[in-house]
């Protein structure tokens, strides 16, 4: 199966100092690390409602995006950039926190539902399809549905943060494969840990 390369990597999170270290911002953390590893810097791009960076990576022009719209309207930023640069949903990777995976777990997948994640929900609505790539960074689940919004808006415990960072590093190690469209190889490597 011939995969398209990734042209847009979106990290999900909430803007603002008070959210910086919260679980819901795991997508921002990862994209920041990735940008740092590639010597890319983010600039504020009003027309894309976010902070954007672009660079030549592994022979492909790749955009990085951190929506500054707040999580539940993330799709506005993703839709604006994807439309402007004519980027297909299958060429988009969305990096986000995942309640259904434990800290220390990172999984790559194409398509699927939003699992109650408001950022994903809005991106699906804006793109009109579920068929974009997701890098799911496990943050664990508080156990009670009613506790979820409180849980994602709080900092992980130190040992959880260490596990999340470990998973982020493993995902960074396969980022080049994902960008080149070698997603099966990336999944094999990432999921075998």
């Amino acid at each position: 199966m011939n995969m398209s390369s990734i042209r847009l990597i979106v990290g999900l999170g909430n803007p603002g100092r008070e959210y910086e270290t919260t679980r819901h911002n795991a997508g921002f953390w990862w994209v920041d690390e990735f940008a740092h590893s590639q010597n890319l810097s983010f600039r504020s791009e009003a027309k894309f409602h976010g902070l954007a960076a672009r660079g030549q990576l592994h022979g492909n022009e790749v955009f990085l995006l951190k929506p500054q719209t707040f999580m539940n309207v993330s799709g506005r930023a993703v839709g604006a950039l994807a439309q402007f640069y004519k980027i297909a949903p299958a060429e988009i990777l969305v990096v986000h926190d995942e309640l259904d995976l434990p800290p220390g777990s990172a999984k790559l997948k194409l398509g699927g539902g939003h699992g109650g994640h408001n950022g994903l929900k809005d991106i699906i609505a804006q793109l009109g399809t579920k068929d974009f790539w997701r890098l799911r960074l496990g943050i664990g689940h508080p156990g009670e549905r009613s506790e979820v919004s409180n849980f994602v808006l709080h900092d992980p415990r130190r040992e959880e943060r260490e596990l999340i960072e470990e998973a982020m590093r493993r995902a960074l190690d396969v980022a080049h494969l994902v960008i080149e469209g070698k997603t099966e190889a990336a999944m094999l490597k990432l999921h075998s840990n």
Side-chain angles (χ1 to χ4, degrees), residues 32-50:
D32 282 337
E33 285 293 320
F34 181 71
H36 181 72
S37 74
Q38 303 295 326
N39 292 318
L40 298 177
S41 13
F42 286 97
R43 289 210 322 258
S44 182
E45 294 274 5
K47 66 175 177 279
F48 304 136
H49 314 284

Side-chain angles (χ1 to χ4, degrees), residues 39 77 108 113 151:
N39 292 318
L108 189 63
F151 179 78

Side-chain angles (χ1 to χ4, degrees), residues 108 169-179 185-186 189-190:
L108 189 63
R169 274 194 296 278
R170 289 202 315 273
L172 283 169
D173 287 344
V174 300
H176 66 284
L177 292 171
V178 179
I179 289 168
K189 202 171 159 190
L190 187 61

Side-chain angles (χ1 to χ4, degrees), residues 84-133:
F84 189 85
Y85 290 109
K86 309 216 178 338
I87 297 172
E91 300 173 316
I92 299 174
L93 172 68
V94 175
V95 186
H96 66 89
D97 56 304
E98 176 60 73
L99 288 159
D100 296 335
L101 293 173
S105 179
K107 301 272 187 225
L108 189 63
K109 75 170 188 175
L110 175 62
H114 53 69
H117 193 295
N118 290 329
L120 289 178
K121 201 183 289 184
D122 196 56
I123 293 170
I124 291 167
Q126 290 283 339
L127 295 177
T129 178
K130 297 173 177 162
D131 296 330
F132 51 88
W133 286 93

Side-chain angles (χ1 to χ4, degrees), residues 69-81:
T69 51
F70 285 97
M71 187 63 89
N72 51 2
V73 281
S74 302
R76 188 186 304 167
V78 179
L81 195 146

